[in-house]
Amino acid sequence: MMKVWMFCLGLLVSSQAVAAPVVQQKILDNGLNILLIEAHNVPMVAMKLVVPAGSRFDAKGKAGSAALLSAMLTDHTQKHDDQAWAAKLDDAAIRLASGVDKDTMSFSLTVLREALDEGVQALSEAVLQPGWNQQRFEFLQQNAISAVTKAREEATTYAAEEVNKLLFPNHPYGHAVSGDVQSLKRIHLKDLQQVYQQQVKPNGAVLAVSGDITMDALVAALKPYLNVWQGKPVHVFSDIKSPQPSAQQSAFVTLDKHQALVEWVRLGPSRHHRDYKALLVLNHMLGGGGFGSRLMEEIREKRGLVYGVYSFFQPLETNGAYTIRLLTKANQAAEAEAVLRDVLKDLADGHISQTDLNKSKRNLMGSFAQRMDSNRERAGLLAMMGVYKRPLNYLQNWTKSVSSVTLADVKRVAKQYLQPKDWKRVLVGPDGVQ
């Protein structure tokens, strides 16, 4: 679920006129951290429960365990087989889903306010009363194998594998969240039960809520179901070391297509690094801002060398990947990369004007309201705040913090992060294009 909090936050910004909602906090006796934004305009409530059980906790050689576990927990329970469980959720119009990224496992609930008790009961049943049905495990395992097999038709799958080898060798971030065919085949039901017993605990977990409810009413609704949930995870969110990239600078994968996928990658800052905000503004200027970004303008608009080009970074508990991706005709890849190199060097050399900076900040801040206009999105942002320990006034201060990024800040991070020699290169395409 590279749903990607990185992207969520990349667009989490506001115009000066938009007031961010107030965030309330309550920590239950079992250590569960509850964050709430009240929104009474629509009679619905959205929740996101997040625990430190992402793919980085997969056992060695068993990549995909966390993803399979999340699928199992929302497929059936001790009380309900998969069909009865689906019917129960449908009858009450309850939307319950799960997902995994590198750091976390999450459970999302959306329910009408009048059905809140049934929704919380369903969420607690899924998380606290797993069914562990062997036949359903084998069914879900086969589904996962089919999905990763299908994904091998995509060039991005091969690129991701090579990026992991280059940036995260022997590191918990160094495998696909979904696993691969061989690792999925090695997973047994007991492996999922082990991850569950170790990591799905309330102490340090985050329950993010947005909707038509007060904190007192929310706590009253949760306690009957979640007070019995007890314990601490074996590993907490912050329990991870920084990755050490490989000395290898490039990789090539032959894929019999007429197009070439090119990725330039390096490590970006962690979610907690002081460079994070300035790099967010700089990346919007580089390739995160779509049309109008330097890469799009120079490589596609002026020269017509690519179908698309963009950049993004993935801030996690520790350093994630910073990626520039372009898709082009195979015979134009070298020329497109030459322009890419020039754009990076130009920015790294400090060729950034105050007008450039103002435009980037204005675009970022202008999208704030759009990123906060639903309960589901607000719950997702609250979950990020809880997991990465952002202060309760984080949303209120977001626009101010983006606005405070100076030209000197952006030039400094450009010099540090955009030197062409510091980027590794992955190319997926036909033989001979490398």
Side-chain angles (χ1 to χ4, degrees), residues 43-45 92-93 111-119 212:
M44 298 192 73
V45 177
V111 65
L112 291 170
R113 176 65 178 87
E114 63 186 19
L116 179 65
D117 186 74
E118 292 171 275
D212 184 20

Side-chain angles (χ1 to χ4, degrees), residues 51-365:
V51 294
S55 65
R56 78 188 214 207
F57 300 101
D58 291 344
K60 187 175 183 180
K62 296 186 177 181
S65 297
L68 264 179
L69 173 58
S70 75
M72 277 286 285
L73 293 178
T74 48
D75 178 74
H76 63 280
T77 71
Q78 285 180 7
K79 293 181 178 178
H80 298 89
D81 65 23
D82 59 294
Q83 295 188 13
W85 182 241
K88 173 183 170 62
L89 299 180
D90 284 345
D91 288 346
I94 295 171
R95 292 180 58 190
L96 180 64
S98 60
V100 170
D101 61 24
K102 289 183 182 295
D103 281 335
T104 68
M105 180 182 298
S106 62
F107 304 88
S108 300
L109 170 70
T110 302
V111 65
L112 291 170
R113 176 65 178 87
E114 63 186 19
L116 179 65
D117 186 74
E118 292 171 275
V120 172
Q121 188 275 333
L123 175 64
S124 67
E125 184 175 333
V127 176
L128 306 185
Q129 301 177 54
W132 305 130
N133 180 283
Q134 180 66 34
Q135 288 186 328
R136 291 303 296 174
F137 164 73
E138 292 171 1
F139 174 80
L140 295 170
Q141 184 182 39
Q142 190 55 52
N143 277 354
I145 290 172
S146 297
V148 298
T149 301
K150 176 71 173 175
R152 300 199 70 78
E153 298 175 4
E154 303 297 328
T156 51
T157 300
Y158 295 93
E161 290 175 350
E162 297 306 316
V163 169
N164 283 334
K165 294 175 186 174
L166 293 175
L167 295 184
F168 307 107
N170 302 312
H171 189 271
Y173 287 167
H175 61 266
V177 170
S178 57
D180 57 45
V181 172
Q182 295 308 314
S183 70
L184 287 168
K185 287 181 177 178
R186 286 192 286 265
I187 297 172
H188 301 284
L189 187 56
K190 64 181 180 182
D191 297 315
L192 308 192
Q193 293 169 327
Q194 182 177 9
V195 175
Y196 176 83
Q197 291 296 335
Q198 290 182 343
Q199 294 302 121
V200 183
K201 302 294 182 183
N203 197 311
V206 177
L207 179 63
V209 182
S210 176
D212 184 20
I213 193 167
T214 65
M215 181 61 88
D216 287 344
L218 175 62
V219 171
L222 294 173
K223 279 189 172 180
Y225 300 106
L226 296 184
N227 261 2
V228 297
W229 191 24
Q230 298 291 329
K232 297 180 179 179
V234 173
H235 304 286
V236 297
F237 286 115
S238 59
D239 186 12
I240 189 169
K241 295 181 179 179
S242 298
Q244 299 298 318
S246 164
Q248 184 181 344
Q249 281 300 109
S250 64
F252 174 73
V253 180
T254 301
L255 201 61
D256 188 19
K257 293 179 178 289
H258 297 298
Q259 299 172 352
L261 174 70
V262 180
E263 291 193 359
W264 284 33
V265 296
R266 58 156 298 153
L267 291 181
S270 75
R271 177 74 66 175
H272 309 288
H273 199 280
R274 72 183 184 97
D275 290 341
Y276 170 72
K277 203 59 62 65
L279 191 60
L280 179 65
V281 174
L282 173 66
N283 181 63
H284 194 81
M285 190 184 307
L286 171 66
F291 289 98
S293 67
R294 290 273 185 105
L295 291 174
M296 183 68 82
E297 183 175 341
E298 295 295 329
I299 303 178
R300 174 174 162 157
E301 297 303 302
K302 288 184 179 178
R303 298 171 175 83
L305 293 173
V306 296
Y307 304 110
V309 57
Y310 54 94
S311 63
F312 57 95
F313 63 98
Q314 185 180 17
L316 298 166
E317 182 61 32
T318 186
N319 310 81
Y322 189 2
T323 303
I324 299 170
R325 176 181 294 167
L326 63 86
L327 184 65
T328 180
K329 293 179 182 177
N331 60 6
Q332 293 181 329
E335 189 177 356
E337 284 190 90
V339 181
L340 164 58
R341 186 176 293 103
D342 290 343
V343 170
L344 289 179
K345 185 176 185 307
D346 194 54
L347 289 169
D349 288 345
H351 296 149
I352 305 169
S353 69
Q354 187 65 46
T355 300
D356 295 332
L357 176 62
N358 292 344
K359 178 183 175 183
S360 181
K361 292 196 295 187
R362 187 168 57 248
N363 288 344
L364 278 170
M365 292 189 291

